[in-house]
Structures are given as structure tokens and as C-alpha cells.
């Protein structure tokens, strides 16, 4: 038992009841014989009690009424959608859509918004006013494609119809390169993803309200996050890795 | 099973928010994180296997949600919005929610730990999750959970020993 290496991790695991039988017995014996070891173990027990009491302080567990209300509203929407879809085939239609990888383009713009919105259990109605016509129609222009091939993530370029800003770049499992970007005009803005196969093709786009001055994670932003997860975007390519990927010929 | 997910979610809200505060140390952002994670959970309700722990499943969703946002803010925040970016990472000058409660030395000591240590501390010592469950939530090996946890607790004991 003197062979047992009494690391902090082992003694902590003992204090937390995470060890198996033989080791537990050996440590218990040492603890009885060696006050220094006993002290280290009781310190771990003490730290656990202290931590628990800090995290259990009443105010740590108070949920603001607004948060509670908004989550309750989400749940109601979810449950309503569940009831409504139990006799339709929305779910399978949505899955099929994400698996189709070619010939997206125009139809894709409308359908993808609907599909992702459905999967989140709410509808993108609030964004209709942002205008799906103007900027959305510019997504496939040569100027946009050229810009996507050149600038790094985080950079902006002014185009005749608005400012294009690339947000991030991803490599999909099939090797194709996809970029998330934002096209912003005076009165409307669009977040989109384009993937390169010979040329850039827009695979997803969502209109967003331009008044969105503050950090708002659970709106169009989250549709985008959901989409990126659906295509298994993974980690964003940064710096040199991104530059090298952009320099490859289109595939 | 997913029929009951709403109730589970409401019951878990206080603990979800507490975890969110430990991750980002900003009250408004924590509330956004919880809201976003709930939305994501409902959208993926079918992927929760009945019989597995709902809290561990939700903690993992919340944490992944947080990481997605850090990742996107990192690239998007490069050219502008630096102030926003620092706020996201938990600018200590921003008056994190926890500091208002920092009545004890333990509280302060926990606040000052790195995020990776704060989160294991919460999950193991306050949530009573096992090392293995914690490792699964964080997506790291058990050995990593143990070394972070031991370091955090030793540091706590050092910092509070004088008090």
C-alpha cells in the first residue's frame, strides 16, 4: 500500500466516493495512520461543502420572470407544433431536404427558412417585413461570388447593393468549402451560407431585422447555428488554414 | 417522453441558469444562453433518450450552445464590436452577477478560478454529478476532469485558509 501513489486526484476521488473497493480500503488504512493524508482528504471534503453552499445560495437559483416566461412560451409553441404535426409528415420532409445537396438556389432560400423554422418549433413570421426580395436576389451575383473567393473572415467589402461581410468558413465532410456571410443594406440584411462547387452556391439564407443592434442569440442567429449544425459544419477555419482553403481551385 | 420535456425543462431552469452564470459570468448573457439552449433542446427533443439523465443532457446542450457562440463571435468580432466581444468572454470590469454575492472568501475564490475549473466545480460539487457524467458533458477524458477539479479545490482551500 506504500506503493500507492497518493496524488491529489486519488485522494480527492476517495473523498468524493469515486474509487473502487481495493483502492478505497488502502487509502482508508493510510488515512488512519497518517494525519497529513487525513488532512488532505478532509480538505477535499471541506472544499466540496463550501462550494455547494456558495452555489446553493438562494439568489444563485432565482430565475428572472422574463426568462421563465419566454421559456414557457417556447414550450407552448413546441407542444402545439407537436400536436399539429403528429398527423402530418413534416418531419420526414424536413430530413429529406437537408440530405439533398445539389440544385438548391432559389427554391432553397424560401424552403430552408421554413424547414429550419419548423425544426425549431416556431415560424419566421416576424422577419417577413425585412423583405425577402431585394437583397436575397443579390446572393447569386458575380460580385458576391468574387468577394467570397477573396476576403478573409471578419472582413468587409462594399458592393453596389450593400456591404458584404464574411463571418466564418467551414470545411464539410465531403470536402466542400462553405462560408457564412452577411449582406447588409440600409433597410435590410441577410445572413447566408454559400458552398463552393465549381462556383459558389447559396445553400441557406435568412432575412434579419436591421434594427438588431444588440446581441440577440435566439433569433435569425439561431436559425443559422441550427443550419450549420445540420450540415455538420464543425470548427471554423481560421487564418492560414482559411487562406489555403480559399486558394484551392473550386471543386 | 418528449411530451414531458416541457415540465422537465421548467423544473431545471434554476440550475441551467446557474450553470450559464458559471460559464459566462454575465447575467443578461446567461439568460440568453438558457433561452437559446432551451430552444435547441426542444428542437432536438427526439434525440433525448428516455431513461438517461435529463439534466446531464441539458447541461451538455447549454455548454455546446455557449461554445458555438464563442466560436462565431471570435470570427465575427475581429473587425468591429470589440466591446461586445469582451463582454461575451466575461469582462471582469463588467460587474459580473456573482460579484454582488461575493460575501464570502469562498465566493470570491470561485469567481477567480478559470472557467474550466469553475464548471467542473459546479457540476461535481454542486450538481453532484459523477466524474464520468461530468466528463461526458464537457467532452473531455475523466482524467482531465479530475485534474481540473483537484486544482480548483486545492486553490479554494489555499485562498480560504487564511480567512
Amino acid at each position: 500500500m506504500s506503493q500507492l501513489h497518493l496524488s491529489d486526484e486519488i485522494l480527492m476521488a476517495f473523498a468524493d466516493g469515486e474509487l473502487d473497493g481495493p483502492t478505497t480500503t488502502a487509502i482508508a488504512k493510510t488515512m488512519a495512520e497518517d494525519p497529513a493524508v487525513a488532512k488532505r482528504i478532509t480538505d477535499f471534503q471541506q472544499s466540496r461543502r463550501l462550494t455547494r453552499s456558495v452555489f446553493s445560495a438562494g439568489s444563485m437559483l432565482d430565475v428572472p420572470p422574463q426568462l421563465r416566461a419566454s421559456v414557457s412560451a417556447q414550450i407552448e409553441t413546441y407542444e402545439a407544433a407537436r400536436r399539429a404535426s403528429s398527423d402530418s409528415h413534416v418531419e420526414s420532409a424536413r430530413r429529406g431536404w437537408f440530405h439533398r445537396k445539389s440544385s438548391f438556389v432559389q427554391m432553397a432560400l424560401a424552403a430552408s427558412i421554413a424547414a429550419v423554422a419548423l425544426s425549431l418549433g416556431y415560424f419566421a413570421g416576424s422577419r417577413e417585413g425585412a423583405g425577402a426580395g431585394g437583397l436575397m436576389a443579390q446572393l447569386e451575383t458575380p460580385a458576391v461570388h468574387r468577394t467570397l473567393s477573396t476576403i478573409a473572415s471578419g472582413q468587409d467589402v462594399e458592393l453596389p447593393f450593400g456591404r458584404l461581410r464574411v463571418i466564418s468558413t467551414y470545411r464539410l465532410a465531403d470536402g466542400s468549402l462553405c462560408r457564412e456571410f452577411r449582406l447588409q443594406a440600409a433597410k435590410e440584411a441577410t445572413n447566408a451560407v454559400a458552398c463552393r462547387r465549381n462556383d459558389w452556391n447559396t445553400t441557406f439564407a435568412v432575412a434579419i431585422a436591421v434594427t438588431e443592434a444588440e446581441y440577440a442569440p435566439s433569433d435569425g442567429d439561431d436559425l443559422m447555428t441550427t443550419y450549420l449544425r445540420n450540415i455538420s459544419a464543425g470548427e471554423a477555419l481560421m487564418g492560414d488554414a482559411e487562406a489555403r482553403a480559399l486558394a484551392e481551385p473550386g471543386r | 417522453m418528449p411530451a414531458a420535456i416541457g415540465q422537465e425543462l421548467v423544473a431545471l431552469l434554476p440550475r441551467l441558469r446557474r450553470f450559464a452564470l458559471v460559464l459566462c459570468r454575465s447575467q443578461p448573457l446567461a439568460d440568453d444562453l438558457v433561452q437559446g439552449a432551451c430552444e435547441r433542446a426542444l428542437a432536438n427533443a427526439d434525440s433525448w433518450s428516455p431513461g438517461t439523465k435529463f439534466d446531464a443532457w441539458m447541461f451538455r446542450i447549454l455548454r455546446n450552445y455557449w461554445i458555438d457562440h464563442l466560436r462565431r463571435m471570435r470570427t465575427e468580432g475581429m473587425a468591429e464590436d470589440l466591446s461586445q466581444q469582451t463582454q461575451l468572454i466575461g469582462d471582469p470590469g463588467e460587474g459580473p452577477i456573482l460579484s454582488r454575492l461575493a460575501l464570502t472568501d469562498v465566493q470570491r475564490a470561485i469567481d477567480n478560478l478559470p472557467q474550466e475549473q469553475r464548471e467542473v466545480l459546479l457540476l461535481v460539487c454542486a450538481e453532484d454529478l459523477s466524474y464520468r457524467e461530468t466528463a461526458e458533458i464537457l467532452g473531455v477524458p475523466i482524467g482531465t476532469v479530475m485534474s481540473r477539479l483537484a486544482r480548483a479545490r486545492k486553490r479554494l482551500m489555499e485562498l480560504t485558509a487564511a480567512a
Side-chain angles (χ1 to χ4, degrees):
Chain A
M1 183 249 31
S2 52
Q3 314 300 23
L4 195 62
H5 175 57
L6 297 177
S7 65
D8 286 329
E9 284 82 359
I10 289 281
L11 294 183
M12 177 185 73
F14 174 82
D16 287 343
E18 288 262 354
L19 288 183
D20 57 9
T23 324
T24 305
T25 313
I27 293 179
K29 190 153 174 285
T30 317
M31 190 182 173
E33 292 163 356
D34 185 343
V37 169
K39 169 81 164 62
R40 286 167 70 195
I41 291 170
T42 52
D43 274 359
F44 278 117
Q45 290 170 336
Q46 170 78 345
S47 65
R48 184 173 185 121
R49 278 194 295 273
L50 289 174
T51 301
R52 185 202 301 272
S53 55
V54 165
F55 281 123
S56 303
S59 47
M60 268 303 274
L61 289 162
D62 288 346
V63 177
Q66 308 90 301
L67 176 61
R68 192 176 288 280
S70 75
V71 171
S72 297
Q74 282 177 22
I75 292 169
E76 274 169 36
T77 311
Y78 162 79
E79 285 171 353
R82 248 189 102 69
R83 281 192 297 274
S85 71
S86 58
D87 47 11
S88 76
H89 300 288
V90 170
E91 191 69 2
S92 57
R94 176 173 69 83
R95 295 237 168 88
W97 206 89
F98 277 121
H99 287 156
R100 226 177 303 148
K101 289 215 166 181
S102 55
S103 74
F104 291 101
V105 209
Q106 294 302 334
M107 180 205 73
L109 303 182
S112 58
I113 294 168
V116 179
L118 268 180
S119 76
L120 286 175
Y122 67 85
F123 297 90
S126 61
R127 277 178 297 279
E128 277 168 7
L135 271 190
M136 289 266 186
Q138 307 294 340
L139 292 174
E140 300 290 347
T141 57
V144 168
H145 292 175
R146 256 198 319 279
T147 310
L148 287 177
S149 296
T150 47
I151 68 173
S153 292
Q155 289 184 340
D156 290 295
V157 168
E158 288 293 345
L159 298 175
F161 39 83
R163 191 155 49 107
L164 191 161
R165 169 184 180 74
V166 175
I167 296 169
S168 48
T169 304
Y170 304 93
R171 172 84 70 192
L172 302 192
D174 68 1
S176 60
L177 197 66
C178 296
R179 309 198 82 186
E180 176 193 358
F181 62 101
R182 171 178 298 207
L183 204 51
Q184 173 116 35
K187 293 209 171 110
E188 53 178 325
T190 297
N191 267 6
V193 174
C195 297
R196 190 163 68 179
R197 289 175 202 84
N198 298 319
D199 202 353
W200 294 97
N201 293 289
T202 303
T203 58
F204 176 83
V206 58
I208 49 177
V210 267
T211 50
E212 182 183 44
E214 289 169 9
Y215 174 72
S218 50
D219 207 35
D221 210 22
D222 203 54
L223 290 179
M224 179 59 79
T225 304
T226 303
Y227 176 73
L228 290 173
R229 205 174 59 252
N230 265 297
I231 62 174
S232 304
E235 286 288 314
L237 296 178
M238 308 284 290
D240 288 347
E242 177 181 52
R244 277 196 304 276
L246 285 176
E248 294 165 2
R251 35 187 296 160
Chain B
M1 176 45 32
I5 202 171
Q7 290 164 14
E8 298 261 14
L9 212 45
V10 169
L12 194 59
L13 274 183
R15 291 162 58 206
L16 276 180
R17 184 164 174 279
R18 180 169 71 175
F19 187 30
L21 280 171
V22 164
L23 292 175
C24 71
R25 294 194 293 188
S26 148
Q27 183 166 11
L29 184 55
D31 291 351
D32 282 348
L33 283 177
V34 170
Q35 207 177 319
C38 289
E39 214 164 78
R40 190 177 274 191
L42 290 171
N44 296 285
D46 294 334
S47 71
W48 175 45
S49 330
T52 60
K53 290 182 76 168
F54 183 75
D55 54 0
W57 183 72
M58 263 323 289
F59 286 146
R60 191 165 56 239
I61 291 179
L62 177 69
R63 189 166 182 282
N64 287 342
Y65 190 80
W66 162 242
I67 295 203
D68 283 353
H69 273 284
L70 283 186
R71 181 189 68 197
R72 296 187 63 224
M73 288 302 149
R74 189 178 56 183
T75 44
E76 190 167 16
M78 283 195 296
E80 57 185 55
D81 291 344
L82 272 179
S83 58
Q84 189 184 46
Q85 195 182 28
T86 51
Q87 188 191 355
L88 274 170
I89 301 169
D91 178 10
E94 184 226 287
I97 172 66
L98 288 179
S99 70
R100 247 187 317 124
L101 314 170
L103 304 176
T104 69
D105 296 300
V106 191
Q107 177 85 60
R108 238 191 318 274
I110 292 176
D111 289 352
N112 287 327
L113 293 173
Q115 186 220 296
E116 58 178 33
Q117 293 182 22
R118 289 199 311 271
E119 64 186 4
V120 290
L121 206 54
L122 171 84
L123 294 174
V124 173
C125 297
E127 291 293 348
D128 282 332
L129 296 172
S130 68
Y131 294 173
R132 176 170 301 283
E133 288 166 330
T134 303
E136 281 166 11
I137 289 169
L138 304 179
V140 298
I142 284 192
T144 307
V145 166
M146 290 173 71
S147 62
R148 287 177 187 172
L149 188 61
R151 251 178 291 147
R153 287 158 79 172
K154 287 195 71 167
R155 182 86 184 124
L156 278 191
M157 296 316 290
E158 286 163 18
L159 291 174
T160 55

